Amino acid sequence: MVGAAVAAFGTGLGLWAFGDDGDSANRDSGAASSAGQAASSSPSPTRIYPLSQAPRTIPAVRDHTPARGPGWRPRSGYRVVVSDAELADEGRLIAGELGLTYGGEKDDVRDGDVRLALNDDEGADPESYAMTVRGGRVTISGPADAGVFYGTRTLKQEVHGGGTAPEGVVHDEPAKPRRGFMLDMARKHFTAAWIEDRVRELGDLKYNELGLHFSDDQGFRIESATHPEIVSAQHLTKAEVGRIVALAQSRHITVVPEIDSPGHLGAAIAAHPDLQLRNAQGVATRGAIDIAKGDSAGLVDDLLGEYAGLFPGGQWHLGGDEYQALTAADPEAAYPQLATEARAAYGSSGTVADLTTGWLGDRADTVRAHGRTMRVWNDGFFRHTSVQPAKDLQVAYWTGKEIGARPPEEYLSAGRKVLNYNDEFLYYVLGEPNTFVYPTGKRIYEQWNPRVLRKTAAVSAKYDDQILGGSFAVWCDLANSQTQDQVAAGIRMPLRATVQKLWDPGTPTLTWPQFTALATRLG
């Protein structure tokens, strides 16, 4: 006969089991050995735990093998140790966050240890990891430091959300290699401290990109040595940007800069009015630089070269969208200087669209020399041009609403890699101009996934591998509509919903109310 009494432990319930069918290894060493003694003494209790539940994290872990045990919770004196010296930064970070001692590179084993290690799983996703909670210790391993870092984020969330990391083994990896947040800091100035707070938030959510759109018609927001005359009064110093980049690197986040051209250059052109694009009647075209002039290329190339040193990550955004010359009914008639230059460069059939494509190709050459992978807004690619955009340019697909916008299948069927910036779901536009409304996390969580590139329809699953991921974006068209603190609050749940779908695009196991409750608990 077996009896049981329930005992509270940690965040779960343990069972004290006892009886005459028990395993002697699970009994107190002082238990009576004779039948007479057994009859006259109390049975020895044994802790039996229910099978553990999967960790509750954002994004959710992909796989968890449950086990019986008390799990792990931090205590004073517990250590974080590393098996590989290159994991020192990850070790120090999680030790500080959980109030543990960082023990450095150690081979010995102690109760309560959190061990970080690299494994030799060749061919595995470098962002994958395994986390084992067993015997009062935690081991997090991965093929690269990025995966180990994400394992520490899972552990941090488990502890902050419930106090105890559940017993068992997590195997986890992202579905998409690019998980981004883009900030328009050109139209609205954001402080370095605010951006640093977002970096910490993004890191804990396993994002790996921060896009900074820092040049537009309304402002140029980073200090410049080559062209200080274009910098707005409110801006970030290079030292501040350097600290942001360093913090991002410590969270395995690549900062992706964007100097948009040949449109959206109003702030730079304001200091160089001779480079302003003007139509046949001499009327200035807002934000557009005159790409028929050699000095225009010189200005932009100076900036691209300068900031390549400030942003050492492997990704770069060239912009390329909304060059207003191409919205004219007859661009060649409206801008004769561009038509003349196009014919000189590409023959008698050269067009303004050819010239614009060539401009972007030249800027790509400038950035390519710095070893970057480049992306361009989808409306920076044009149909029926004799000049073709370089094959290595990735498509940042944001809209199907622009005049002549091409469906995403045109890029995918041509073999291009695509990033999802779908303005139907992922655009947080201050002041809600035009037809924009503030996106909700609920709608993203329930209706969007990375294959939903344009409006609400998903492209064929056969293109899934070409869709590298996506970015949630804040655009500051009406900059004073919200304070930066209001922006942080407004994007909180959309950011969480977006990364859930980039980490695992399938139907989430939690309902939206459960997901929001979890987000509240995790902080």
Side-chain angles (χ1 to χ4, degrees), residues 150-295:
Y150 295 136
T152 67
R153 300 306 87 192
T154 294
L155 180 63
K156 178 183 177 182
Q157 286 196 28
E158 289 174 336
V159 170
H160 285 190
T164 301
E167 204 87 2
V169 182
V170 167
H171 289 282
D172 202 13
E173 64 180 3
K176 294 299 180 184
R178 297 285 162 205
R179 305 176 302 281
F181 167 61
M182 187 169 197
L183 178 66
D184 172 12
M185 54 175 282
R187 293 182 178 94
K188 181 180 180 67
H189 173 66
F190 289 86
T191 65
W194 189 93
I195 297 172
E196 288 171 358
D197 284 344
R198 300 291 73 71
V199 169
R200 296 183 185 95
E201 180 180 15
L202 296 172
D204 283 352
L205 293 170
K206 303 182 179 124
Y207 278 90
N208 65 2
E209 283 190 355
L210 168 64
L212 294 180
H213 175 92
F214 63 91
S215 169
D216 212 301
D217 298 341
Q218 296 80 357
F220 191 98
R221 301 289 182 181
I222 296 178
E223 174 188 1
S224 172
T226 61
H227 289 283
E229 73 280 0
I230 72 174
V231 179
S232 301
Q234 284 189 308
H235 66 273
L236 300 182
T237 67
K238 286 189 175 180
E240 288 174 319
V241 174
R243 288 192 291 272
I244 291 168
V245 169
L247 179 65
Q249 288 176 322
S250 76
R251 266 65 174 178
H252 296 273
I253 294 170
T254 298
V255 181
V256 184
E258 182 192 3
I259 301 175
D260 203 347
S261 80
H264 294 283
L265 278 172
I269 296 169
H272 295 270
D274 55 312
L275 301 181
Q276 175 83 55
L277 178 65
R278 296 180 181 275
N279 67 13
Q281 289 72 45
V283 177
T285 302
R286 178 175 170 80
I289 201 166
D290 190 337
I291 60 176
K293 295 182 176 180
D295 287 347

Side-chain angles (χ1 to χ4, degrees), residues 118-125 128 142-143:
L118 297 175
N119 59 42
D120 56 359
D121 191 358
E122 294 184 10
D125 186 333
S128 65

Side-chain angles (χ1 to χ4, degrees), residues 54-55 57 111-112 129 146 255 416 441 516:
T57 60
D111 288 344
Y129 69 92
V255 181
R416 288 199 185 271
T516 56

Side-chain angles (χ1 to χ4, degrees), residues 6-16 47-50 69-73 75 78 162 164 167:
V6 178
F9 188 88
T11 60
L13 294 177
L15 297 180
W16 293 106
R47 181 70 56 77
I48 297 178
Y49 297 91
W72 179 92
R73 63 166 60 216
R75 291 182 182 175
Y78 281 1
T164 301
E167 204 87 2

